[in-house]
Amino acid sequence: MTGPDSAVRDRARRLYEARATRKPIPPFTDEDPGLGMADGYAIQRELVAMLLADGERVVGYKAGLTSEPMQRMFGVSTPDYGPVLASTVHPDGATLSMDTFIDPKMEAEIVFRLSAPLRGPDVTVDHAREAIGEVMAGLEIVDSRIRDWRIGLADTVADLASAGAIVVGRPVPPTADMDPRLIGCVFSRNGRVVATGAGAAALGDPVAVVAWLANQLGEHGITLEPGQLIFTGALHAAVPLCPGDEFVAEFDRLGSAVIRVASRG
């Protein structure tokens, strides 16, 4: 098997440096409008290899653009995915500095922790449901190393699906009468409701997101492992952050997750 070509390595290196310096770069699709999803994932894999060489760890995966509002916001029509890195996971109630990010936005999601492996192809929703060990309220900060969020699908895929930071609430075991499609969410900023949603916003069923992700990763020989976190995608349009903000995502049956935002500097 041959390694990544020079263009892939160069683009991955540019993203790697943008992450380190928090200085955004122009979209790759500006210089090459023909870049597609496969190109984006090739860059993503090379970027992940660079981060793992630095001692980073993959502790799960996130699916992005699983809801219609998020797809409309970025002008795309298909989900994407990226790894959840250990350094991006923070405790519930964490205060995170704006200095950590470039142009962050917040979103609320349903999160699963797996208790059994899943490997595509042919993973069904039933298989995914059986592999879920815990369900949690989640908040994700999405951030883009691409300047001004001018992302094409290849750009955000390459940029680890615009991953920034995450928190999860207390784990809840799934029960026979828990239907993740029907789990409602109230999303508040500084005590004011700014969005609402339900699990069905994520590909019609958050569990279907897990199955989709397992099958996508399976094409590259990757297994979803027990203990990994699976973020299933925003249930509403992402909300920009400002210094001093407090965001709370309250979920029926799951409880809440909280992130506070400190000032820059």
Side-chain angles (χ1 to χ4, degrees), residues 68-99:
E68 185 177 341
M70 290 302 295
Q71 291 181 3
R72 284 200 307 267
M73 176 176 284
F74 296 111
V76 299
S77 58
T78 184
D80 65 353
Y81 67 82
V84 173
L85 302 175
S87 64
T88 69
V89 181
H90 302 273
D92 187 21
T95 298
L96 303 182
S97 172
M98 290 287 287
D99 289 332

Side-chain angles (χ1 to χ4, degrees), residues 1 37-42 44-45 61 81 119-121 157 213-223:
M1 180 180 293
M37 181 178 286
D39 302 298
Y41 282 120
Q44 182 190 114
R45 288 191 291 273
Y61 289 87
Y81 67 82
R119 183 182 178 108
V157 167
L213 186 56
N215 288 324
Q216 293 293 311
L217 290 169
E219 293 180 5
H220 301 284
I222 299 171
T223 300

Side-chain angles (χ1 to χ4, degrees), residues 10-28:
D10 174 68
R11 288 165 176 156
R13 173 60 60 178
R14 279 187 267 167
L15 281 172
Y16 178 89
E17 292 173 353
R19 291 175 64 87
T21 63
R22 295 189 292 280
K23 294 180 179 179
I25 60 176
F28 300 136

Side-chain angles (χ1 to χ4, degrees), residues 4 12 14 26 35 46 49 77 90 102 111 130-131 136 138 146 167 177 182 184 195 197 205 211 235 242 250-251 259:
R14 279 187 267 167
L35 282 181
E46 180 69 6
S77 58
H90 302 273
I102 296 173
V111 185
E130 291 171 1
M136 292 156 284
I146 306 299
V167 305
D177 64 345
L182 305 181
D205 183 347
L235 305 181
C242 292
E250 300 171 276
F251 288 82
I259 290 180

Side-chain angles (χ1 to χ4, degrees), residues 5-166:
D5 64 27
S6 60
V8 168
R9 286 193 298 269
D10 174 68
R11 288 165 176 156
R13 173 60 60 178
R14 279 187 267 167
L15 281 172
Y16 178 89
E17 292 173 353
R19 291 175 64 87
T21 63
R22 295 189 292 280
K23 294 180 179 179
I25 60 176
F28 300 136
T29 50
D30 275 5
E31 64 191 52
D32 187 351
L35 282 181
M37 181 178 286
D39 302 298
Y41 282 120
I43 299 166
Q44 182 190 114
R45 288 191 291 273
E46 180 69 6
L47 175 58
V48 170
M50 293 177 181
L51 296 170
L52 294 180
D54 286 345
E56 187 61 88
R57 293 184 300 114
V58 173
V59 296
Y61 289 87
K62 57 159 288 187
L65 309 178
T66 57
S67 71
E68 185 177 341
M70 290 302 295
Q71 291 181 3
R72 284 200 307 267
M73 176 176 284
F74 296 111
V76 299
S77 58
T78 184
D80 65 353
Y81 67 82
V84 173
L85 302 175
S87 64
T88 69
V89 181
H90 302 273
D92 187 21
T95 298
L96 303 182
S97 172
M98 290 287 287
D99 289 332
T100 309
F101 308 103
I102 296 173
D103 189 5
K105 305 176 189 293
M106 189 78 74
E107 50 192 48
E109 309 185 21
I110 293 172
V111 185
F112 298 119
R113 181 177 280 116
L114 299 183
S115 59
L118 286 172
R119 183 182 178 108
D122 303 323
V123 172
T124 66
V125 172
D126 286 340
H127 294 149
R129 185 176 293 108
E130 291 171 1
I132 292 169
E134 295 175 335
V135 191
M136 292 156 284
L139 281 169
E140 180 182 5
I141 295 177
V142 291
D143 194 22
S144 184
R145 274 55 62 175
I146 306 299
R147 186 174 297 134
D148 300 324
W149 281 98
R150 291 192 303 109
I151 54 173
L153 186 56
D155 298 305
T156 185
V157 167
D159 191 21
L160 308 189
S162 302
I166 60 173

Side-chain angles (χ1 to χ4, degrees), residues 223-235:
T223 300
L224 292 177
E225 300 289 355
Q228 288 187 330
L229 295 170
I230 307 297
F231 272 68
T232 59
L235 305 181

